[in-house]
Amino acid sequence: DAGRLGDELGVPVYAVGGFVRDLLLKSPTLDLDLVVEGDGQAFARAFAARHQGRVREHSKFKTAVVVLPHFTINANQPPREQKVDVATARLEYYEYPAALPTVELSSIKMDLYRRDFTINALAVELNPASFGRLVDFFGSQRDIKDRVIRVLHSLSFVEDPTRMLRAVRFSQRYDFRIGKQTLRLIKNALQLNLLDRLSGHRIFNELKLILNEEEFLQDLEMMQDLGILKAIHPKLEMTPHRKALLEELDKILTWYGLLYQSPTPRRWLLCLLAMAATWKEEELLALTVRLGLSKKEERELVTLRRSVHKAMDLLKRWCAGDKSLSELYGIMHQTPLEGALLLMAKFDDDCIKKHLSLYLTTLRGIQLQMSGEHLMDMGLPPGPIYTRILDSIRAAKLDGRASTLAAELALAE
Ligand code: CTP
């Protein structure tokens, strides 16, 4: 349909980038990127109107994002909300990097040439007369077949140093190797400290993407081997101890992911804390500055770290006592999900690990028959006494003790 609209507006329309790459790799794809050889914003407006969608335009870059409420890319899947990025390919928008020879390229060719890797530089024509024709100027299909990640030109990492992290991410995700020349360019870029030029925010965004990948551990190891981790921050290093902790964390995340689809633990919090397990708080704060964390993110990181430390001490003591489940609940229910997962990874002690898993799967969700509303119906004036009563009913339930409301009331008062 995008192609038909292209015809109506008299502009060639292409699907590009990750969408085409994933199509050729037969891996499920969610994002749709379109390039229009003409006015991309006008196309986006018409496309949105046709599908009762919304459009957000970025005039500076001549791009737009269309959000379609009921869209199907794949006929076998039910319609769902779909974001479509629409870019404009016009020769006048391209600034040629100074050191590159000036060559006459068509606008779609130029658009593809500005991209990061050959595997992302493919386009598929969508206009009906040539629907489905693959546009491959730079040997992309060959590189996908050979499973290799290659830049399109030698200034690629100078133009955008985050591409070093993207190379690692794609390489591990698809099990592709990084081409020899591309590897050499990464090493040169690191020697020139090009990552230092990037804002912390951009590095942090790429790191988050990496940590959300299934293979995040291999990504981190590859970044360590290439020297990318220490280029981001000298203290970021995969020591054997950190690696062991991250491996344990990886197993726990897989276990948790199989049990619960949501909420998903925030991996960046977990991995940064695992990396910084032995650092002083000031050292962690220096890293948050380098990575441009927002104040909110910084607060979350520091609070989580403190609550993990506190829970760790309490759990050690709990382990030496009579191990009541109500006490375990008392220690853990203030700790965010990420903290509980990190503690599971940190403790070697099987007994604590098992109890933490019991806490996550059962104890934290335990339901009481009594609620504040019941107490109010009984005419008890609201106040802190409610929490005390409900806590003590919960504790009795967790520890398998019989409890009557009269007894709890007497105790709480
Ligand atoms: N791109 C680029 N340089 C970057 C980021 C992106 O050239 N630093 C280009 C790539 O061609 C990429 C496209 O912009 O295909 C879209 O970027 P993005 O959505 O980040 O990448 P995807 O390839 O869709 O990757 P993912 O599957 O991780 O979403």
Side-chain angles (χ1 to χ4, degrees):
D1 184 52
R4 272 197 297 273
L5 179 62
D7 270 5
E8 284 168 32
L9 299 176
V11 288
V13 182
Y14 305 85
V16 292
F19 176 80
V20 187
R21 175 199 69 215
D22 290 344
L23 212 60
L24 290 193
L25 285 166
K26 297 185 179 61
S27 77
T29 188
L30 294 173
D31 301 332
L32 178 57
D33 287 313
L34 299 179
V35 169
V36 175
E37 271 184 322
D39 188 343
Q41 289 179 290
F43 175 89
R45 285 193 294 272
F47 194 47
R50 217 147 136 146
H51 293 276
Q52 292 84 45
R54 305 186 299 278
V55 62
R56 209 170 49 233
E57 298 182 43
H58 304 280
S59 297
K60 190 174 162 209
F61 301 107
K62 305 270 176 218
T63 61
V65 182
V66 179
V67 182
L68 305 170
H70 312 288
F71 193 75
T72 14
I73 291 186
N74 181 337
N76 300 324
Q77 282 167 0
R80 60 174 185 80
E81 185 174 282
Q82 172 70 42
K83 249 178 61 191
V84 182
D85 284 307
V86 182
T88 299
R90 267 196 207 156
L91 274 178
E92 66 246 51
Y93 295 127
Y94 300 126
E95 280 172 34
Y96 291 74
L100 291 178
T102 315
V103 276
E104 262 306 306
L105 298 177
S106 70
S107 44
I108 182 69
K109 188 168 183 181
M110 196 59 206
D111 178 280
L112 297 172
Y113 187 60
R114 283 161 58 246
R115 290 171 183 262
D116 49 2
F117 308 115
T118 55
I119 61 165
N120 290 333
L122 274 170
V124 175
E125 292 188 42
L126 297 180
N127 297 65
S130 46
F131 184 83
R133 191 154 68 206
L134 211 54
V135 178
D136 181 1
F137 293 112
F138 309 107
S140 303
Q141 292 174 89
R142 186 198 55 217
D143 286 348
I144 289 178
K145 191 164 151 281
D146 294 348
R147 310 178 77 77
V148 58
I149 290 171
R150 247 194 267 278
V151 285
L152 287 140
H153 58 79
S154 59
L155 290 178
S156 193
F157 298 118
V158 179
E159 268 174 20
D160 183 352
T162 61
R163 289 176 173 170
M164 290 188 252
L165 283 79
R166 288 174 65 85
V168 168
R169 184 155 62 89
F170 292 128
S171 150
Q172 293 300 336
R173 186 200 286 173
Y174 300 116
D175 195 17
F176 279 21
R177 69 190 164 81
I178 299 180
K180 223 160 131 192
Q181 167 76 348
T182 300
L183 215 45
R184 206 174 53 75
L185 292 169
I186 291 182
K187 293 194 173 138
N188 281 350
L190 288 169
Q191 254 166 14
L192 293 170
N193 299 323
L194 292 187
L195 280 177
D196 290 354
R197 288 196 205 161
L198 280 179
S199 70
H201 183 68
R202 288 204 61 204
I203 297 188
F204 186 41
N205 273 344
E206 283 301 328
L207 261 186
K208 279 185 185 161
L209 292 176
I210 283 187
L211 298 176
N212 281 337
E213 294 277 323
E214 240 171 73
E215 310 73 10
F216 74 93
L217 245 175
Q218 288 93 312
D219 287 39
L220 289 174
E221 278 183 67
M222 190 173 197
M223 283 163 68
Q224 163 80 19
D225 294 343
L226 289 171
I228 296 179
L229 279 185
K230 70 168 190 286
I232 294 175
H233 189 276
K235 281 191 73 80
L236 270 187
E237 234 197 302
M238 280 285 271
T239 60
H241 177 255
R242 286 176 199 164
K243 190 176 157 204
L245 182 56
L246 285 163
E247 274 168 352
E248 192 56 29
L249 196 57
D250 189 20
K251 283 190 215 148
I252 288 164
L253 283 170
T254 308
W255 164 79
Y256 188 82
L258 288 172
L259 288 177
Y260 303 101
Q261 285 193 323
S262 72
T264 34
R266 284 156 305 165
R267 303 242 189 138
W268 67 268
L269 270 174
L270 285 165
C271 292
L272 283 189
L273 283 190
M275 280 292 216
T278 55
W279 302 3
K280 296 194 191 84
E281 195 166 296
E282 307 89 83
E283 292 173 320
L284 180 63
L285 288 174
L287 178 67
T288 66
V289 171
R290 171 61 192 118
L291 295 180
L293 263 68
S294 67
K295 278 285 156 221
K296 180 169 171 262
E297 288 168 332
E298 184 188 297
R299 222 176 14 252
E300 274 182 308
L301 190 68
V302 171
T303 313
L304 182 64
R305 180 184 150 104
R306 287 183 191 156
S307 75
V308 165
H309 282 174
K310 189 169 152 209
M312 197 139 175
D313 288 341
L314 293 172
L315 283 171
K316 279 183 198 153
R317 254 181 275 158
W318 174 84
C319 205
D322 62 5
K323 300 197 180 73
S324 83
L325 296 186
S326 61
E327 203 186 325
L328 177 65
Y329 182 92
I331 298 172
M332 292 305 300
H333 89 284
Q334 302 275 31
T335 313
L337 167 66
E338 286 87 356
L341 296 170
L342 195 59
L343 283 161
M344 270 182 90
K346 276 179 171 233
F347 273 108
D348 286 332
D349 184 312
D350 258 359
C351 166
I352 296 194
K353 265 194 163 54
K354 265 194 218 134
H355 276 92
L356 285 173
S357 110
L358 180 71
Y359 169 76
L360 282 173
T361 53
T362 316
L363 308 185
R364 73 178 165 147
I366 216 148
Q367 297 288 333
L368 300 184
Q369 261 140 24
M370 177 68 59
S371 72
E373 262 173 46
H374 287 110
L375 296 176
M376 205 166 319
D377 288 347
M378 287 165 55
L380 194 69
I385 193 171
Y386 276 35
T387 318
R388 285 208 297 278
I389 293 174
L390 294 174
D391 280 354
S392 96
I393 294 177
R394 181 182 295 102
K397 185 163 180 174
L398 287 169
D399 295 339
R401 280 184 279 113
S403 90
T404 62
L405 188 56
E408 302 304 343
L409 265 171
L411 261 176
E413 273 164 350

